């Protein structure tokens, strides 16, 4: 059925109570109009309008949008809890949300609801836009996909299973392309020959193979006026087989000047049957589309054989001889060629004055790619504060001209400390793997306990390969962005779902609690087949606080709000001529802040608020900043009560809860034989400072001094010794030699600076050094 035929047969009715005239959309001289009782052209949505189908409502809103000057997208849908059928749909402005740079979070939408009669009524509408509208004449109405019904001699009722196969955001169901819902490519080719091409992707579309899916998306791209590339793929952690693929617009990303970060893509996921299902589809481009391309020269699907060693993620679709072909993608650098000369001159100058300065360059086919560097101070800081790090790739959030990534730790004053910097040439697994390996070499092979980094598959895989055993926690900003992209509409429209979802994520105290709450949530809202939620559940140990707090993260908040190291000094748009100057300025400013805190911790004292000897003990050892964190927990413990609930040998268990608040309760286990203590809140494991619950039990047991194991050296005033202060003196292992070298080198650097201030100081420093060397020679 053609678009014109659809419009000619679509009727829009108003409820009598709404006082609106019955209107029919008709075709007049090739233009779509809404004719009211006065005979004037009118196309205005109002609450109460009725439609024969959801497709009619979409068509109506599409025509209205064309007239006003904006484009629409298909938004959220809601299903019946009884039979799973669709009962409500939203159609939104194309600029709704923030998933791409072209979107502005526009609130304009309509929502239609299915009535018992089978009709659809317009239930909600918001007409205000937060962006400038286009001229109506410049917009072509979007093509509306409709279910095509082929008459049959004997109508057969649909089975119950077929009735609930409609996709989450599309208006077509799986049975549109055949009884099984699988796209028939032979039929597609016949239809194309007959001039009736149906190549619009939609969620729920199924393919026999990934090759057919690619050929289908290529045909769609050719008809629409853009080119495609093969994007990211995902592999099974069990057997390494490919489970998901993305096909993207050729202008996706920013790796080349011709790319503009386009967000259009189609993602397919392999089903247990071996077939491939479209589970995500984004049709909005942030650039002008070209003229339709002749797609008769198809790309052979044989290129999709998974046994090819290079994989499709390294392939591009290029035009040649009037057709298209798959070629191996050449690795392109996002770093301008003029940057390399400037950086290398800087690196060589720094090495001349800093013997511990390290830099490495990734080479590919004789060309420089990614670059990593770290000075001696950063390398020494890693011996102190390299246990929990953040791999900061803030540049990926927007249109950044400088692809600067940094390795950030948390020092003993809870300030960000630089552990290395890099310029990333391209965001491939190969590039990230090289970068992590180079950083590990610079840091003498010291792997972190934990790392906060983006959740992209290439980064996940590189971290698992280079840092085995390191707990990878996803960047909070990326989790929130994906959350808004996939379930944002439901979170904003359904307060009950939002409350239950956040309670499940943030309030679960045990794994059993989380599992139970999660299952209730996805069953109650029929979201068991939501691909994103399934993926996030599988990766729950990398983002759910319950699973994160059992690992040491130096107290980096679970919302990811670690203060930016470079702040506003080094911005994303810094030109080459200013980049290194601003970098040095930011570095010196941060290190000066650390020196001030060092001075304050050794020369100032925090005020004591109790007579508890533990408070005085911690004031003497901790830095001022860390002591204030501990002091807050100590003061809070006085408003808690502990009740012994169980005794097993030397281990006693206490239920600790806040007075007057029975909802806040934690279990503390205390071992009287070795003074070991642990709390279910996991604050010590996550942050390295004892919690109020454990301190309450220490008070009950009359413990007057904290065991040294509960005062982490990294939080003390003497943290500059790194981990070596706590190492037994029985002999230096190979691992400790590198750390001792950096510790002595950093101290020697300060010694030289002080000893060269004058000739008298030089003579004294030289005599002290000679005397010290003689004393060392007498040591065994």
């Amino acid at each position: 059925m053609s678009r014109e035929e659809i419009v000619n047969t679509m009727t829009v009715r108003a409820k009598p109570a709404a006082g609106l005239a019955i209107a029919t959309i008709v075709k007049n001289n090739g233009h779509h109009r809404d004719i009211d009782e006065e005979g004037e052209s009118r196309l205005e949505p109002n609450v109460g309008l009725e439609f024969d189908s959801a497709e009619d409502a979409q068509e109506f809103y599409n025509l209205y949008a064309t007239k006003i000057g904006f484009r629409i997208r298909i938004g959220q849908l809601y299903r019946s809890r009884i039979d799973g059928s669709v009962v409500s749909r939203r159609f939104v402005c194309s600029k709704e949300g923030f998933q791409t740079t072209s979107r502005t979070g526009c609130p304009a939408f309509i929502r239609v609801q299915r009535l018992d009669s089978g009709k659809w009524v317009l239930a909600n509408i918001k007409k205000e836009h937060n962006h400038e509208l286009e001229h109506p004449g410049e917009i072509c109405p979007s093509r509306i996909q409709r279910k095509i019904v082929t008459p049959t001699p004997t109508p057969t009722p649909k089975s119950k299973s077929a009735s609930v196969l409609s996709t989450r955001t599309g208006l077509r169901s799986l049975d549109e392309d055949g009884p099984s819902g699988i796209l028939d490519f032979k039929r597609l080719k016949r239809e194309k020959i007959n001039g009736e091409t149906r190549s619009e992707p939609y969620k729920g579309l199924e393919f026999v193979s990934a090759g057919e899916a690619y050929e289908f998306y290529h045909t769609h791209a050719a008809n629409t006026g853009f080119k495609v590339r093969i994007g990211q793929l995902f592999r099974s952690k069990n057997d390494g087989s490919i489970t998901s693929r993305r096909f993207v617009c050729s202008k996706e990303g920013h790796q080349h000047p011709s790319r503009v970060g386009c967000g259009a893509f189609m993602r397919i996921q392999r089903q247990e049957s071996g077939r491939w299902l479209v589970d995500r589809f984004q049709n909005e481009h942030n650039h002008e589309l070209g003229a339709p391309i002749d797609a008769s020269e198809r790309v052979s699907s044989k290129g999709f054989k998974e046994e090819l060693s290079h994989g499709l993620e390294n392939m591009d679709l290029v035009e040649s001889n009037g057709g298209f072909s798959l070629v191996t993608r050449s690795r392109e650098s996002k770093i301008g060629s003029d940057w390399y000369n400037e950086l290398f001159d800087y690196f060589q100058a720094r090495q001349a004055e800093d013997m511990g300065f390290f830099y490495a360059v990734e080479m590919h086919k004789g060309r420089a790619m990614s670059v990593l560097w770290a000075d001696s101070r950063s390398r020494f800081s890693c011996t102190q504060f390299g246990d929990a790090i953040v791999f900061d790739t803030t540049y990926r959030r927007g249109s950044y001209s400088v692809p600067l990534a940094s390795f950030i730790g948390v020092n003993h004053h809870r300030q960000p400390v630089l552990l290395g910097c890099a310029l990333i040439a391209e965001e491939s697994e190969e590039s990230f793997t090289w970068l992590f390996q180079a950083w590990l070499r610079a840091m003498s092979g010291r792997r972190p306990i934990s790392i906060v980094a983006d959740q992209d598959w290439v980064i996940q895989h590189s971290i698992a390969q280079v840092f085995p055993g390191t707990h990878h926690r996803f960047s909070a900003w990326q989790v929130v962005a994906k959350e808004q992209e996939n379930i944002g509409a439901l979170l904003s429209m359904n307060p009950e779902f939002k409350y239950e979802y956040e309670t499940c994520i943030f309030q679960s105290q045990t794994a059993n609690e989380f599992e139970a709450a999660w299952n209730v949530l996805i069953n109650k809202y029929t979201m068991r087949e939501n691909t994103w939620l399934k993926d996030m559940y599988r990766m729950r140990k990398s983002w759910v606080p319950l699973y994160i707090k059992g690992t040491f993260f130096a107290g980096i908040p679970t919302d990811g709000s670690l203060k930016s190291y470079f702040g506003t000094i080094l911005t994303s748009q810094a030109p080459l001529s200013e980049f290194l100057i601003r970098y040095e300025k930011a570095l010196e400013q941060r290190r000066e802040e650390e020196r001030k805190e060092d001075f304050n911790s050794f020369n100032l004292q925090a005020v004591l608020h109790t007579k508890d000897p533990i408070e005085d003990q911690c004031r003497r050892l901790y830095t001022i900043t860390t002591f204030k964190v501990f002091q807050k927990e100590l003061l809070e413990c006085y408003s808690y009560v502990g009740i012994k609930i169980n005794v097993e040998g030397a281990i006693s268990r206490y239920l600790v809860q806040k007075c007057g608040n029975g909802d806040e309760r934690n279990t503390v286990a205390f071992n009287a034989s070795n003074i070991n203590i642990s709390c279910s809140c996991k604050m010590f494991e996550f942050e390295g400072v004892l919690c109020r619950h454990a301190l309450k039990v220490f008070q009950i047991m009359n413990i007057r001094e904290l065991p040294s194991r509960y005062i982490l050296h990294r939080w003390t005033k003497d943290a500059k010794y790194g981990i070596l202060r706590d190492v037994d003196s029985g002999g230096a292992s190979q691992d400790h030699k590198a750390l001792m070298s950096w510790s002595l080198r950093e101290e020697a650097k300060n010694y030289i600076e002080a000893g060269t201030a004058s000739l008298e100081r030089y003579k004294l420093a030289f005599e002290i050094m000679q005397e010290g060397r003689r004393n060392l020679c007498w040591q065994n």
Side-chain angles (χ1 to χ4, degrees), residues 255-256 259 316 330-334 367 369 425-426:
Q255 295 91 328
H256 189 272
R259 300 183 185 176
D316 265 330
S330 59
R331 297 182 63 193
E332 301 169 349
S333 175
K334 292 186 288 187
R367 293 186 297 113
M369 297 293 287
E426 50 136 23

Side-chain angles (χ1 to χ4, degrees), residues 357-624:
F357 188 89
F358 176 96
Y359 76 92
V361 182
E362 179 191 17
M363 301 299 295
H364 176 69
K365 296 183 178 179
R367 293 186 297 113
M369 297 293 287
S370 296
V371 181
L372 170 82
W373 71 94
D375 63 9
S376 58
R377 179 66 179 274
S378 292
R379 300 177 75 184
F380 177 60
S381 293
C382 191
T383 69
Q384 307 164 292
F385 313 117
D387 42 12
I389 66 173
V390 176
F391 180 53
D392 185 1
T393 53
T394 307
Y395 78 90
R396 306 179 76 210
R397 302 193 199 184
S399 55
Y400 286 67
S401 60
V402 183
L404 175 69
S406 51
F407 294 87
I408 307 296
V410 180
N411 70 10
H412 51 327
H413 305 298
R414 294 177 177 257
Q415 299 168 317
V417 58
L418 188 65
L419 306 179
C421 277
L423 293 183
I424 299 179
E426 50 136 23
E427 297 177 354
S428 66
E429 182 184 340
E430 184 176 357
S431 186
F432 283 118
T433 299
W434 174 87
L435 179 62
F436 294 144
Q437 289 173 338
W439 182 82
L440 194 61
R441 289 197 305 273
M443 303 306 157
S444 303
R446 179 173 169 79
R447 291 183 174 88
I449 296 172
S450 59
I451 182 171
V452 180
D454 293 348
Q455 71 179 85
D456 300 58
W457 182 85
V458 291
I459 294 181
Q460 288 190 56
H461 197 269
S462 297
I463 288 175
Q465 181 179 342
V466 181
F467 304 131
T470 296
H471 192 150
H472 175 195
R473 177 176 128 198
F474 296 157
S475 301
W477 72 267
Q478 199 177 43
V479 173
V480 172
K482 294 292 184 183
E483 190 177 81
Q484 287 299 314
E485 177 183 340
N486 290 276
I487 60 172
L490 187 57
L491 287 169
S492 61
M493 292 181 59
N494 192 327
E496 184 181 357
F497 172 79
K498 177 181 172 67
Y499 172 78
E500 293 179 17
Y501 175 78
E502 292 180 348
T503 299
C504 172
I505 301 302
F506 299 108
Q507 302 299 324
S508 297
Q509 297 296 315
T510 66
N512 289 336
E513 281 185 26
F514 174 79
E515 300 281 348
W518 184 272
N519 286 324
V520 168
L521 188 75
I522 61 176
N523 288 329
K524 180 177 179 180
Y525 295 95
T526 62
M527 303 182 76
R528 187 165 291 279
E529 297 306 316
N530 184 292
T531 305
W532 180 77
L533 286 176
K534 287 197 292 186
D535 289 343
M536 295 306 287
Y537 175 77
R538 177 175 53 82
M539 300 182 291
R540 60 192 178 279
K541 293 183 180 179
S542 295
W543 66 283
V544 177
L546 166 68
Y547 298 98
I548 291 171
K549 64 184 182 181
T551 302
F552 183 74
F553 276 95
I556 300 172
T558 53
D559 63 2
S561 57
L562 181 67
K563 189 176 181 181
S564 171
Y565 186 83
F566 292 105
T568 57
I569 298 177
L570 185 61
T571 64
S572 61
Q573 304 299 331
L576 174 60
S577 58
E578 299 179 17
F579 175 80
L580 292 173
I581 297 174
R582 294 187 184 185
Y583 166 79
E584 288 282 354
K585 182 180 179 181
L587 204 62
E588 179 55 34
Q589 179 175 305
R590 285 295 187 193
R591 289 174 177 174
E592 178 61 27
E593 291 172 358
E594 182 177 349
R595 285 191 287 269
K596 287 181 180 179
E597 288 298 322
D598 281 337
F599 178 86
N600 291 339
S601 291
F602 279 107
N603 295 279
L604 301 177
Q605 279 194 334
V607 177
L608 297 177
H609 292 293
T610 72
K611 295 183 179 180
D612 193 327
I614 287 178
E615 185 182 17
D616 185 54
Q617 175 195 7
C618 290
R619 183 177 68 168
R620 286 185 280 105
L621 298 175
Y622 283 141
T623 61
I624 290 179

Side-chain angles (χ1 to χ4, degrees), residues 12-21 42 44-51 60 109-113 120-127:
V12 183
R13 300 180 180 85
K15 289 183 178 180
L20 298 172
R42 191 175 138 281
E44 192 76 18
N46 292 285
V47 173
L49 284 177
E50 280 189 6
F51 304 90
F60 173 81
F109 77 97
I110 67 168
R111 184 176 71 88
V112 292
Q113 191 165 345
W120 293 74
V121 64
L122 200 157
N124 301 95
I125 181 171
K126 187 172 183 63
K127 297 181 182 179

Side-chain angles (χ1 to χ4, degrees), residues 78-302:
Y78 297 90
R79 296 181 182 274
S80 167
R81 296 181 184 177
I82 299 174
D83 59 6
S85 61
V86 178
V87 295
S88 179
R89 286 190 180 280
R90 278 169 57 99
F91 304 109
V92 301
C93 173
S94 63
K95 292 185 179 291
E96 181 265 353
F98 298 95
Q99 292 91 327
T100 65
T101 55
S102 64
R103 299 188 185 177
T104 62
C106 180
F109 77 97
I110 67 168
R111 184 176 71 88
V112 292
Q113 191 165 345
R114 194 185 68 196
L115 302 175
D116 292 339
S117 63
K119 304 288 186 182
W120 293 74
V121 64
L122 200 157
N124 301 95
I125 181 171
K126 187 172 183 63
K127 297 181 182 179
E128 294 77 15
H129 297 259
N130 66 356
H131 57 90
E132 291 186 4
L133 299 177
E134 302 180 40
H135 294 292
E138 296 179 356
I139 298 179
C140 295
S142 303
R143 179 178 178 182
I144 305 301
Q145 302 179 44
R146 288 176 170 267
K147 181 175 177 179
I148 297 178
V149 181
T150 303
T152 55
T154 306
T156 303
K158 290 184 181 180
S159 65
K160 182 178 180 180
S161 60
S163 67
V164 296
L165 286 175
S166 58
T167 60
R168 190 166 183 263
T169 58
L171 287 179
R172 298 167 65 182
S173 63
L174 292 181
D175 58 354
E176 293 179 36
D177 290 294
S180 64
I182 301 166
L183 186 69
D184 186 340
F185 264 83
K186 293 181 179 179
R187 186 174 58 132
L188 177 65
K189 293 177 181 178
R190 288 198 303 268
E191 288 176 345
K192 180 170 178 58
I193 294 172
N194 295 333
E196 186 187 349
T197 305
R198 293 173 58 233
S199 57
E200 285 286 330
Y202 59 91
K203 284 180 67 174
L205 185 60
E206 207 172 286
F207 301 92
V208 174
S209 67
E212 285 191 349
Y214 176 67
E215 188 175 352
F216 171 81
Y217 194 55
H218 165 52
T219 300
H220 163 69
N223 292 338
T224 306
F226 69 97
K227 299 176 183 178
V228 301
R229 286 190 296 110
I230 298 164
Q232 196 173 19
L233 62 78
F234 298 87
R235 295 183 183 272
S236 167
K237 291 185 177 180
N238 297 325
D239 57 11
S241 61
I242 296 174
T243 58
S244 179
R245 289 189 181 281
R246 279 169 60 100
F247 307 122
V248 302
C249 173
S250 62
K251 292 184 179 292
E252 180 263 355
H254 299 277
Q255 295 91 328
H256 189 272
S258 64
R259 300 183 185 176
V260 295
C262 180
F265 73 95
M266 182 180 83
R267 195 181 83 165
I268 56 173
Q269 189 169 31
R270 193 184 67 199
Q271 306 299 296
E272 293 182 359
S273 62
R275 300 184 184 279
W276 294 79
L277 181 77
V278 176
D279 68 328
R280 292 186 191 174
F281 173 60
Q282 175 57 260
N283 202 29
E284 298 296 326
H285 297 260
N286 65 353
H287 56 90
E288 292 293 328
L289 298 177
I293 304 167
D294 182 8
S296 58
E297 296 291 331
R298 298 275 177 91
V299 177
S300 172
S301 61
K302 67 181 181 180

